[in-house]
Amino acid sequence: MDRLRGWPATLNEGPVGLRPLRLSDVRVWRETRLRNADWLRPWEPSNPETPLFRTGLGPYISMVGTLRREARQGLALPWVVTYEGRFAGQLTVGAIVWGSARSAQVGYWIDGALAGKGITPTALAMAVDHCFFTTGLHRLEANIRPENQASRRVVEKLGFREEGIRRRQLHIDGAWRDHICYALTVEDVPGGLLVQWRRARESAARGGSPVEEV
């Protein structure tokens, strides 16, 4: 597939937004990553293209170039997560496989200073709906370290199924780490995942017990 349907895409739900990654994000991306180094280190792949502690801008420029090329080839959807119009993190749908699979993997990170506002599940719900109902994917996976309780809560509250352990799947924080595979298919969200997430939050609010935010 030469182009992804509906890409580039800018999506919004209240104060939470998704927009394509830009070269002009380089300085805020670098500042956010450095400020969140301790917050992100336990969950970050040991990838020389996106180190946490490099002071130069080259790693970001290289990453954006790679992701843009993959987007043109129909292999990735790289987004910036925004909150009230400001840079808040990153969400990438990657490893897209077409043909009889039509599957992909999703990864995300959020500025620790903005955790607890429901930004991540809202952004992920928007991305899932775009992938299923605009791009035409059938299955999305999120592979998460068992110890990463905050990230696991995001996918569990959105209804992703836990499908088992992938032993020593990725090199993370200096060692090969197990990951739990969570997945959704388009049949799981016939009315859209964002609608389900809105209803869950509204129902919890009416009951006086707000949904725990991440």
Side-chain angles (χ1 to χ4, degrees):
M1 178 170 289
D2 294 329
R3 293 178 61 88
L4 291 165
R5 289 205 300 270
W7 185 259
T10 298
L11 312 171
N12 292 283
E13 172 69 8
V16 180
L18 290 172
R19 63 163 174 78
L21 197 62
R22 303 168 182 159
L23 281 173
S24 59
D25 293 316
V26 58
R27 295 190 184 280
V28 67
W29 179 89
R30 173 179 170 273
E31 184 278 327
T32 305
R33 300 276 296 182
L34 289 172
R35 180 165 43 81
N36 284 270
D38 291 339
W39 165 262
L40 297 173
R41 184 187 297 108
W43 325 120
E44 285 287 308
S46 303
N47 184 344
E49 287 192 47
T50 57
L52 290 172
F53 303 109
R54 288 273 296 277
T55 57
L57 305 181
Y60 177 84
I61 294 169
S62 175
M63 177 190 67
V64 172
T66 297
L67 289 173
R68 282 182 167 182
R69 182 169 60 253
E70 290 181 353
R72 288 194 299 269
Q73 295 169 345
L75 302 177
L77 297 100
W79 275 293
V80 161
V81 180
T82 61
Y83 182 69
E84 296 181 342
R86 295 176 291 123
F87 186 101
Q90 196 172 340
L91 187 153
T92 301
V93 177
I96 297 176
V97 178
W98 294 100
S100 58
R102 289 187 171 259
S103 66
Q105 298 184 24
V106 61
Y108 46 82
W109 62 268
I110 192 77
D111 186 337
L114 296 172
K117 298 179 180 295
I119 297 169
T120 310
T122 301
L124 181 55
M126 287 192 290
V128 168
D129 285 353
H130 183 84
C131 287
F132 285 163
F133 303 114
T134 300
T135 302
L137 295 177
H138 176 256
R139 173 184 168 91
L140 286 176
E141 290 185 8
N143 294 291
I144 302 169
R145 284 189 62 183
E147 301 87 350
N148 192 346
Q149 294 296 330
S151 192
R152 291 177 63 186
R153 285 198 301 273
V154 169
V155 294
E156 288 168 356
K157 70 177 59 175
L158 290 176
F160 279 69
R161 286 184 306 279
E162 182 177 332
E163 294 191 344
I165 295 286
R166 293 187 166 175
R167 299 294 180 190
R168 294 175 290 279
Q169 183 190 22
L170 288 174
H171 196 268
I172 304 282
D173 195 24
W176 292 101
R177 309 288 186 175
D178 294 348
H179 283 65
I180 300 174
C181 176
Y182 290 90
L184 272 182
T185 65
V186 68
E187 291 89 354
D188 297 320
V189 289
L193 186 56
L194 187 58
V195 169
Q196 291 185 12
W197 173 234
R198 281 196 206 111
R199 288 173 179 165
R201 299 179 80 181
E202 291 167 359
S203 176
R206 286 196 299 270
S209 55
V211 173
E212 179 188 10
E213 305 287 23
V214 177

